[in-house]
């Protein structure tokens, strides 16, 4: 039996655990990462193949950055397959990232089966116990390992460490009365969302027979599979992925009965594939498809949830509470699957897929996660990140997706470093009355993790006191039309745009009126606080515009409105049958397209008899929300407007304004073209520095799963250099070619200078139309400057 000593032990090698361990190790803490399987990635690994998803799917400009962004960019730039098809390149990328850290030791195939704890008296601590060590069994070598540490993180998903340590946890659904959650059932129960088993099929050059195993469920019709479980068209791709709705939850326990769950899932999986091959309407097209891979490990959604000092509820998902100890965010929708999964044939496997009123309520704007939900309330040195954090069953819906859990992991690893260095417990570290969290938040920002609403106030960052200059700044344009593409004004539509002047004279809209009469079209301008504000904003001006009969073209709204500059504004056209709003080719940074959704409460009439929408299960409130049209965001198109005066949101001064991400404004410098393009920071007096951090634009509106093989952001600096002014001349101190990452760190011998210059020679570019990367402007979110010689 080997005894191993560390400062920090992370148990669980999914994205949450990987990011927690990397965050701690990179800051000099001796860390162990203990994983019970041979590969890292958890549900996203090639063993399970659940695609990592996050906030950008439903909220533009919110894609996760920091450590997980670095890892995902490495994957998409190297993989020959779409991001949604997890392969060994994904596993190896995570493995290499972990093994390259000198302060991090990886223990794969190591199952934690016991936890040593010691009790704490009330006079010593408000906690009841602390963890001394965790015991692991390394399967391949049969070694017995005991990991001693000051702090531990439970990133197992099942809260295995917490449960063994006696931590308080929840399992199942809370009753509605406990937290007054509309999507909670009236009575609490022990039901959870289920686990999924994926398969992968590939088109071959000859017919492939499929004979199902004897115990496969025999599905001869779509109705037997389930009326709300549509099958992909085979013509869509030569690669055919399985279905998230091959899922089984209740009545099985998601830990105790997992072997039974897997056995049942296999029966349904083979039954579905047998239907596609031998019974379905596409059986002829399916002849040449072969079942190449079947998941060996079910992907879990829910089991134990550890209790922290804060338990996040559904109400916290509908508003960003701006927690003083916020360290991460979520923006996925309240994704709570139907109880029973594929065993429940009568209902939609995920309720929002079949009811627009439910969907409108379940879709949420980005909201913050507090550090007090990321540690155990009764185990003194236990952090947690992943689907086992301190949330209710309903609130688990948006926080359980893996890009979100990865950000939780980076936050926990960063907080643990601070706690270890200052001999603090997690509770002491997160206490809002203290200043500890502010330091942690600033470290997260420095490490490129977005903490919403927190500005860079790092006194060591010399760039904050500099002035930024650039010869070229990209104009703001939303009038390059896609010929013939319009969005009907069946609902009120809007564009959220960053306005930079203190007044708006006019707004022009490109419209098509198919009515035989002219129409008076309502228009409004609202002031917002963030790009994603779903509630109506402060009304600045309301008016109407006259659209001629049978017309197509630009129509002007005269506003003559005074506004507060430097805030996003919602430009609204109200609904009118027969009128359409033109689409544009591009979606400028910091812009969002929206539609108004109004619900009287309750589900749609056709769903009233379904169990999920009965009052004992769900109580949908009435609401009026603006929803982002993220399908168009992924394509890159906006709605056509011209604003007078034309906004100027992409100025050089954004690179050191303290904001490294879009939030209210884009906070981005976009250069002119062609390359090279340069930006300078000038100091009031000579400064000594040796480290520069640069955050390039990598298209934060685009989810990773929408990226094709070998993807690199077109506006990201590929070839670039840093120069400093010495003796009246510019000297290159750092240069790089072939970059595709957002965050770059330049380290060089210390210099003393009153100016530095970033020069970009080429961007990612369009490999077909612009192979040299000369025609696309570069985007830079942030530049930081440090003297770290003695740190």
């Amino acid at each position: 039996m080997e005894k191993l000593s560390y400062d920090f032990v992370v148990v669980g090698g999914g994205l949450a655990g990987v990011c927690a361990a990397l965050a701690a190790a990179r800051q000099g803490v001796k860390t162990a990462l203990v994983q019970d399987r041979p590969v890292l990635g958890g549900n996203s690994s090639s063993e399970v193949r659940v695609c990592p998803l996050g906030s950008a799917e439903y909220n533009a400009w919110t894609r996760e950055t920091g450590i997980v962004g670095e890892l995902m960019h490495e994957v998409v730039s190297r993989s020959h397959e779409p991001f949604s098809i997890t392969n060994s390149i994904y596993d190896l990328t995570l493995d290499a990232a972990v093994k390259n850290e000198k302060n991090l030791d990886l223990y794969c195939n190591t199952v934690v089966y016991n936890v040593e704890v010691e009790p704490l008296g009330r006079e010593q601590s408000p906690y009841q116990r602390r963890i001394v060590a965790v015991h692991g069994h390394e399967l391949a070598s049969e070694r017995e390992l005991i990991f001693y540490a000051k702090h531990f993180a439970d990133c197992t998903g099942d809260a295995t460490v917490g449960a063994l340590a006696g931590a308080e946890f929840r399992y199942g659904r809370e009753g509605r009365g406990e937290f007054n959650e509309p999507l909670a059932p009236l009575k609490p129960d022990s039901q959870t969302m289920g686990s999924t088993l994926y398969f992968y099929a590939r088109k071959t050059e000859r017919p492939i027979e499929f004979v199902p195993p004897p115990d496969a469920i025999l599905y001869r019709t779509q109705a037997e599979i389930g009326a709300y479980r549509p099958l992909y068209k085979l013509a869509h791709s030569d690669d055919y992925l399985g279905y998230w709705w091959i899922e089984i939850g209740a009545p099985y326990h998601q830990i105790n009965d997992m072997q039974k769950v897997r056995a049942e899932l296999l029966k349904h999986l083979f039954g579905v594939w047998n239907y596609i091959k031998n019974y379905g309407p596409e059986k002829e097209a399916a002849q040449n498809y072969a079942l190449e891979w079947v998941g060996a490990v079910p992907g879990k959604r829910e089991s134990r949830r550890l209790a922290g000092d804060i338990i996040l509820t559904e109400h916290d998902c509908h508003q960003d509470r701006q927690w003083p100890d916020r360290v991460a965010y979520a923006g996925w929708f309240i994704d709570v699957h139907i109880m029973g999964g594929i065993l429940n044939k009568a209902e939609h496997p995920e309720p929002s897929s079949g009811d627009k009123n439910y969907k409108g309520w379940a879709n949420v704007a980005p909201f913050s996660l507090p550090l007090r939900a990321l540690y155990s309330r009764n185990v003194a040195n236990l952090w947690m990140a992943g689907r086992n954090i301190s949330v209710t069953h309903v609130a688990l819906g948006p926080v359980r997706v893996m890009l979100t859990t990865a950000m939780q992991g980076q936050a926990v690893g960063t907080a643990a470093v601070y706690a270890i260095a200052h001999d603090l417990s997690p509770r002491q570290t997160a206490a809002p009355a203290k200043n500890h969290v502010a330091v942690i938040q600033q470290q997260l920002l420095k490490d490129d993790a977005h903490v919403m609403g927190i500005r860079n106030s790092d006194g060591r960052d010399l760039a904050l006191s500099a002035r930024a200059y650039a010869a070229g700044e990209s104009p703001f344009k939303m009038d390059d039309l896609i010929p013939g593409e319009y969005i009907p004004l069946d609902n009120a539509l809007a564009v959220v745009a960053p306005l930079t002047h203190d007044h708006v004279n006019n707004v022009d809209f490109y419209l098509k009126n198919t009515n035989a009469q002219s129409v008076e079209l309502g228009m409004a301008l609202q002031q917002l606080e963030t790009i994603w504000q779903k509630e109506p904003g402060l009304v600045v001006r309301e008016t109407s515009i006259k659209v001629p009969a049978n017309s197509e073209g630009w129509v002007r709204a005269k506003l003559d409105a005074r506004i507060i500059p430097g805030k996003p504004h919602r430009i609204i056209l109200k609904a009118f049958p027969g009128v359409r709003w033109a689409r544009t080719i591009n979606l400028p940074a910091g812009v969002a397209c929206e539609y108004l959704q109004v619900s009287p409460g309750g589900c749609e009439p056709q769903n009233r008899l379904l169990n999920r929408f009965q009052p004992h299960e769900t109580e949908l409130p009435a609401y009026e929300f603006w929803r982002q049209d993220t399908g168009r965001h992924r394509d890159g198109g906006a709605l056509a407007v011209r604003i007078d005066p034309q906004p100027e949101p992409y100025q050089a001064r954004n690179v050191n304004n303290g904001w490294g991400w879009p939030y209210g404004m884009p906070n981005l410098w976009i250069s002119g073209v062609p390359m090279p393009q340069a930006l300078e920071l000038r100091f009031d007096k000579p400064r000594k520095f040796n480290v520069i951090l640069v955050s390039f634009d990598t298209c934060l509106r685009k989810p990773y799963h929408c990226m094709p093989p070998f993807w690199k952001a077109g506006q990201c600096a590929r070839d670039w250099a840093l120069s400093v002014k010495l003796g009246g001349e510019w000297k290159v101190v750092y240069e790089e070619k072939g970059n595709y990452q957002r965050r770059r760190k330049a380290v060089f011998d210390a210099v003393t200078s009153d100016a530095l210059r970033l020069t970009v020679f080429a961007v990612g570019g369009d490999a077909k139309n612009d192979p040299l990367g000369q025609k696309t402007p570069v985007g830079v979110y942030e530049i930081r400057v440090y003297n770290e010689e003695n740190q």
Side-chain angles (χ1 to χ4, degrees), residues 701-760:
R701 64 169 169 77
K702 192 178 186 72
Y704 291 111
H705 75 87
C706 295
M707 298 173 183
F710 304 115
W711 184 84
K712 298 178 178 67
Q715 62 272 59
C716 179
R718 185 180 74 201
D719 304 334
W720 62 284
L722 290 167
S723 307
V724 299
K725 202 167 191 179
L726 298 173
E729 296 185 358
W730 290 100
K731 177 185 177 183
V732 175
V733 294
Y734 184 89
E735 56 186 334
E736 181 182 30
K737 291 185 178 180
N739 172 58
Y740 45 84
Q741 289 281 3
R742 167 184 154 97
R743 170 52 71 86
R744 306 308 292 154
K745 182 176 183 179
V747 182
F748 44 88
D749 292 336
V751 297
T752 300
S753 174
D754 62 358
L756 67 89
R757 175 186 289 167
L758 166 69
T759 304
V760 178

Side-chain angles (χ1 to χ4, degrees), residues 134-155:
V134 296
H135 293 222
H137 180 81
E138 191 177 70
L139 300 179
S141 65
E142 298 185 356
R143 290 193 302 165
E144 295 291 325
L145 307 174
I146 303 179
F147 298 90
Y148 292 89
K150 298 173 183 176
H151 283 243
F152 296 82
D154 188 333
C155 301

Side-chain angles (χ1 to χ4, degrees), residues 57-59 183 317-318 331-335 350 352 356-367 398 534 595 597 623 625-628 630:
E57 181 72 16
Y58 294 96
N59 295 282
L183 299 187
C317 304
H318 287 292
W332 188 255
F333 74 106
I334 302 178
D335 187 3
E350 192 283 301
S352 71
K356 67 178 183 181
N357 292 344
Y358 185 104
K359 182 177 182 178
W361 180 256
N363 283 0
V364 298
F367 61 95
K534 64 181 182 180
Y595 61 93
Q597 184 165 0
Y623 61 84
F625 293 145
W626 286 94
R627 294 301 184 198
Q628 291 199 354
T630 49

Side-chain angles (χ1 to χ4, degrees), residues 105-123:
D105 294 332
L106 174 62
Y107 298 86
C108 283
N109 292 311
T110 302
V111 177
V112 170
Y113 64 90
N114 188 33
V115 174
E116 291 183 36
V117 297
E118 64 179 13
L120 295 175
R122 289 289 181 180
E123 66 280 1

